[in-house]
Amino acid sequence: MPRLSYRRALTRALADEMTRDESVVVLGEDIRVAAANVTTGLLKKFGPERVRDTPLSEQAFTSFATGAALAGARPVVEFQIPSLLFLVFEQIVNHAHKFPLMTGGQCAVPVTYVVPGSGSRTGWAGQHSDHPYALFAHVGVTTVVPATPADAYGLLVSAIRCDDPVVVFAPAGALDLRADVTDLAPVPLGRGVVRRSGTDVTVVAVGHLVHDALAVAEELAGQASVEVFDPRTVYPFDWDGLVESVSRTGRLVVVDDGNRSCGIAAEIIATVVERVRLAAPPRRVTRPDGAVLPFAPALDRAVQPGRDQLTAAIQLTLKDG
């Protein structure tokens, strides 16, 4: 199989699932012209009945998707930017997520929300640069953040086949990544993976930051043996897989493209220290608290977590231990 980009992996997953299951429909703003370049070619292949442009109202088309799911469809909703999810927290959490629970399992709401953007995309300023996957994990909505083209395909396929709502974050920093993919297959929800084995410290990296963690691990190879753990699904989290890794290395650093307080990094550290005796205090590399990303690209990059901050955190953890 030729080299596949992350973006085209998402497109391939949508096309394959629409071919496999006629109940799968895709809807959102400007998806027929593929404004986010994820739905490219779907209109020509599947027609306007299954590839639907919607009015400029996130609340409306997200509610529409819930109703369609209750009526037997498997809608996939594309959002142009993650910040727009704030507008539909009610529709996703209070409606789609809770209906099966409130009816005692008498209904299913198989809606997938595909959210490309944020995460190392600079110059989009405060109202277009949020990365709120921690909010959905907090309320128990299945939430995935693929890091590679193979996982972008596999996790999106699993999300579409799931009978519960799933939010799929596709970070801008990963969208144009290319990789040789030998096999495209569903990836189980809730199962992490060790991207690089090590013995001195475990680095948990979310989404596009997996690639920064791998680069830092390679740079530090002469000084330390760094294991890189990619959770892939931030809720439900693969705690057993992470605990097994940290139990071997004895040290933990988390790099997360979310705000510091009450973020995924904080939850990971809190849960690990409940289950593992560490050799050194854990550390996290995140966006600052209350961060509103600036429009100026240089200032934007200074606020977002990156390789320099991660390198420093690893070195401090090794020194403390």
Side-chain angles (χ1 to χ4, degrees), residues 200-201 220 223-224 250-253 279-281 283 311-321:
D200 294 329
V201 58
L220 295 176
Q223 308 171 41
R251 299 175 182 85
L252 174 65
V253 175
R283 283 187 166 78
T311 300
I314 293 172
Q315 290 173 334
L316 284 171
T317 300
L318 293 170
K319 180 181 177 182
D320 288 346

Side-chain angles (χ1 to χ4, degrees), residues 9-250:
L10 294 173
T11 308
R12 174 74 177 271
L14 291 171
D16 285 357
E17 288 305 291
M18 293 180 78
T19 300
R20 188 188 68 86
D21 184 349
E22 291 187 355
S23 71
V24 178
V25 296
V26 181
L27 56 100
E29 297 167 3
D30 293 330
I31 62 168
R32 291 184 180 178
V33 297
N37 200 16
V38 169
T39 55
T40 305
L42 297 183
L43 174 64
K44 182 178 180 180
K45 186 171 184 178
F46 298 102
E49 289 299 311
R50 297 181 66 196
V51 182
R52 291 180 171 267
D53 272 339
T54 64
L56 191 65
S57 172
E58 283 73 23
Q59 293 96 332
F61 64 69
T62 305
S63 293
F64 175 87
T66 302
L70 289 169
R74 286 188 178 271
V76 179
V77 183
E78 184 196 90
F79 290 86
Q80 292 192 357
I81 54 173
S83 297
L84 296 174
L85 290 169
F86 293 132
L87 299 173
V88 295
F89 209 68
E90 169 75 9
Q91 285 76 18
I92 295 175
V93 176
N94 255 354
H95 299 169
H97 173 56
K98 293 184 180 179
F99 280 169
L101 305 173
M102 295 173 67
T103 61
Q106 295 181 69
C107 68
V109 187
V111 185
T112 302
Y113 311 94
V114 179
V115 193
S118 197
S120 292
R121 180 175 64 178
T122 57
W124 285 75
Q127 293 179 323
H128 291 76
S129 298
D130 298 286
H131 219 178
Y133 45 77
L135 295 181
F136 291 95
H138 175 73
V139 293
V141 176
T142 300
T143 305
V144 303
V145 191
T148 68
D151 279 354
Y153 176 91
L155 287 168
L156 179 52
V157 166
S158 293
I160 294 171
R161 296 180 185 181
C162 182
D163 285 335
D164 295 314
V166 182
V167 185
V168 180
F169 284 88
L175 284 173
D176 294 319
L177 290 172
R178 292 180 174 273
D180 292 320
V181 180
T182 57
D183 182 39
L184 289 175
V187 173
L189 301 174
R191 187 177 301 173
V193 63
V194 173
R195 297 289 181 190
R196 178 186 176 113
S197 296
T199 58
D200 294 329
V201 58
T202 297
V203 172
V204 180
V206 180
H208 63 290
L209 294 171
V210 167
H211 304 283
D212 286 335
L214 290 170
V216 169
E218 182 63 28
E219 291 171 2
L220 295 176
Q223 308 171 41
S225 176
V226 178
E227 181 148 305
V228 178
F229 183 86
D230 175 4
R232 304 197 287 196
T233 305
V234 296
Y235 187 88
F237 199 94
D238 183 4
W239 295 117
D240 289 341
L242 178 56
V243 166
E244 192 278 332
S245 171
V246 180
S247 295
R248 286 187 290 99
T249 65

Side-chain angles (χ1 to χ4, degrees), residues 261-302:
S261 291
C262 303
I264 291 297
E267 181 64 24
I268 291 170
I269 289 173
T271 302
V272 168
V273 298
E274 289 176 345
R275 299 175 61 175
V276 181
R277 184 178 295 276
L278 297 175
R283 283 187 166 78
R284 51 189 156 147
V285 179
T286 67
R287 296 185 183 188
D289 273 339
V292 175
L293 296 189
F295 175 73
L299 295 176
D300 190 338
R301 285 190 293 270

